Amino acid sequence: MSENTTHDKLPIRMLHDRVLVKSDVPEGERRSGGGILIPATAAVGKRLAWAEVVAVGQNVRSVEPGDRVLYDPEDRAEVEVRGATYVLMRERDLHAVAAERLEGSKDSTGLYL
């Protein structure tokens, strides 16, 4: 007996303090600022990564969907939704937020990313 399920088409709501982000940089090879190709197997010190916020839980206060956030790629839980890979984390695991709405606020560092 084959039952047609539509669980993969259901809407998703993030809970509590969870943040769902899409990483800016794909895994694998990358290029330095000078254009040098760095292979995926190269040993790199601890490096933080930027990602775009896709969804937030109802208790998240500092970020909104569309913001860019800085996080530690080693402390992450990946999830696949409709064929795309996202990173799921708690709001407290984020290190910084970059968004147009923060421009001119007293918390801004004045740095441009």
Side-chain angles (χ1 to χ4, degrees):
M1 181 168 145
S2 175
E3 185 177 322
N4 187 7
T5 60
T6 59
H7 65 277
D8 60 339
K9 297 181 192 250
L10 292 174
I12 298 171
R13 179 188 313 165
M14 302 306 295
L15 300 176
H16 310 296
D17 65 341
R18 300 303 194 272
V19 179
L20 188 69
V21 299
K22 178 103 173 120
S23 181
D24 288 351
V25 180
E27 296 294 323
E29 294 180 344
R30 56 189 168 86
R31 290 201 178 269
S32 70
I36 298 171
L37 183 67
I38 302 170
T41 57
V44 180
K46 189 168 184 173
R47 184 180 191 117
L48 299 177
W50 287 99
E52 181 179 349
V53 176
V54 177
V56 297
Q58 69 266 22
N59 294 337
V60 173
R61 294 185 257 163
S62 303
V63 298
E64 297 175 2
D67 290 353
R68 291 187 47 165
V69 293
L70 188 64
Y71 74 100
D72 184 356
E74 293 179 8
D75 295 336
R76 67 181 184 179
E78 289 186 354
V79 62
E80 187 173 319
V81 179
R82 297 186 183 121
T85 302
Y86 297 95
V87 178
L88 177 65
M89 64 187 70
R90 293 178 183 263
E91 181 182 22
R92 68 179 179 214
D93 294 333
L94 301 175
H95 296 281
V97 180
E100 293 286 332
R101 64 185 168 79
L102 301 176
E103 189 173 342
S105 73
K106 64 180 179 134
D107 296 334
S108 176
T109 64
L111 297 174
Y112 293 95
L113 302 174

